[in-house]
Amino acid sequence: QQPVQSPQAVILREGEDAVINCSSSKALYSVHWYRQKHGEAPIFLMILLKGGEQKGHDKISASFNEKKQQSSLYLTASQLSYSGTYFCGTETSSNYKLTFGKGTLLTVNP
Amino acid sequence: EAQVTQNPRYLITVTGKKLTVTCSQNMNHEYMSWYRQDPGLGLRQIYYSMNVEVTDKGDVPEGYKVSRKEKRNFPLILESPSPNQTSLYFCASSPILGQGPGELFFGEGSRLTVL
């Protein structure tokens, strides 16, 4: 079952912050985050394996709340290069099956 | 250069004409997977493979077959394509991380049109 992402779309001005959420109806083993620019393949951002643990690089970080069966991606001081569609992928058990959400379209304007 | 290579990149075919989309990776990854991407539906997993000779169904396996006879190759076979299989297809590979896939490396995609 696909995880549910929210919002479906968000428009920001450069320098603003954004949060993208990913929720599952089942207990999660791991959460993956990817970004895809138009006409390109998805690019890996991060994986979260432990509940409550925050991972990140640069100005993008994420949290994983096992109890709430959800993850959030935090984009701080957004840059034009952050524009794209963000996908979360979830594993609901250690069975190697990774299911992606429908995506969140992020647009960063000057 | 580390990469996942898909072929063909673009294909227009007709209903019922068997076709194979090849996928090859040069990173010695254990895990490989196929996804299809349709507007508004995100990435949907078709099949995945944890290692040679080990494959399993994803969320939308109907109408597709796969095989994993060699570690580097994971072809996607459409035995009798139908118009509802018109889509953008991505192959991806990753090392195993813990008990699941790690960072996925995607191919450039194969755009398939079935008339």
Side-chain angles (χ1 to χ4, degrees):
Chain A
Q1 193 167 4
Q2 280 185 298
V4 177
Q5 290 187 231
S6 62
Q8 289 184 316
V10 57
I11 300 174
L12 302 173
R13 288 212 178 271
E14 209 171 356
E16 291 182 337
D17 302 339
V19 180
I20 299 172
N21 299 304
C22 175
S23 297
S24 173
S25 59
K26 296 183 178 181
L28 295 174
Y29 175 76
S30 73
V31 180
H32 298 224
W33 286 97
Y34 288 79
R35 175 171 63 210
Q36 183 181 32
K37 292 188 179 288
H38 185 69
E40 298 180 7
I43 297 295
F44 172 79
L45 293 176
M46 63 191 72
I47 295 174
L48 300 105
L49 293 176
K50 294 180 182 178
E53 187 162 338
Q54 286 194 312
K55 299 263 186 193
H57 61 88
D58 215 10
K59 293 175 183 174
I60 299 177
S61 61
S63 63
F64 177 16
N65 190 320
E66 277 184 272
K67 209 170 184 179
K68 292 185 178 179
Q69 298 170 183
Q70 67 183 35
S71 175
S72 295
L73 187 72
Y74 306 94
L75 298 104
T76 306
S78 58
Q79 305 167 14
L80 296 176
S81 61
Y82 286 6
S83 290
T85 301
Y86 289 77
F87 293 99
C88 72
T90 56
E91 278 185 277
T92 54
S93 64
S94 57
N95 63 359
Y96 299 86
K97 186 176 179 182
L98 185 62
T99 302
F100 284 94
K102 293 182 179 181
T104 295
L105 178 61
L106 179 77
T107 304
V108 181
N109 292 320
Chain B
E1 181 190 352
Q3 58 186 7
V4 177
T5 304
Q6 296 179 225
N7 279 298
R9 294 286 315 283
Y10 302 92
L11 179 64
I12 300 174
T13 189
V14 296
T15 299
K17 187 176 181 183
K18 180 180 178 180
L19 69 92
T20 300
V21 186
T22 62
C23 175
S24 182
Q25 52 97 0
N26 62 1
M27 294 168 279
N28 202 35
H29 287 162
E30 294 87 358
Y31 184 89
M32 296 187 75
S33 179
W34 277 102
Y35 292 89
R36 61 176 289 175
Q37 186 170 32
D38 303 288
L41 297 180
L43 293 158
R44 292 183 294 167
Q45 192 175 48
I46 303 171
Y47 271 95
Y48 60 99
S49 170
M50 295 76 83
N51 215 324
V52 176
E53 302 291 2
V54 184
T55 63
D56 208 345
K57 296 177 181 178
D59 295 310
V60 288
E62 296 79 18
Y64 304 94
K65 284 187 179 179
V66 293
S67 68
R68 187 94 182 269
K69 295 176 182 170
E70 302 168 285
K71 197 172 187 179
R72 63 182 292 127
N73 296 323
F74 191 44
L76 180 70
I77 303 158
L78 287 74
E79 292 273 359
S80 182
S82 62
N84 65 11
Q85 292 179 296
T86 292
S87 188
L88 177 61
Y89 292 86
F90 285 103
C91 178
S93 73
S94 84
I96 297 296
L97 179 66
Q99 292 180 303
E103 173 183 349
L104 286 173
F105 292 80
F106 284 85
E108 292 184 292
S110 295
R111 186 165 291 283
L112 171 65
T113 301
V114 184
L115 301 175

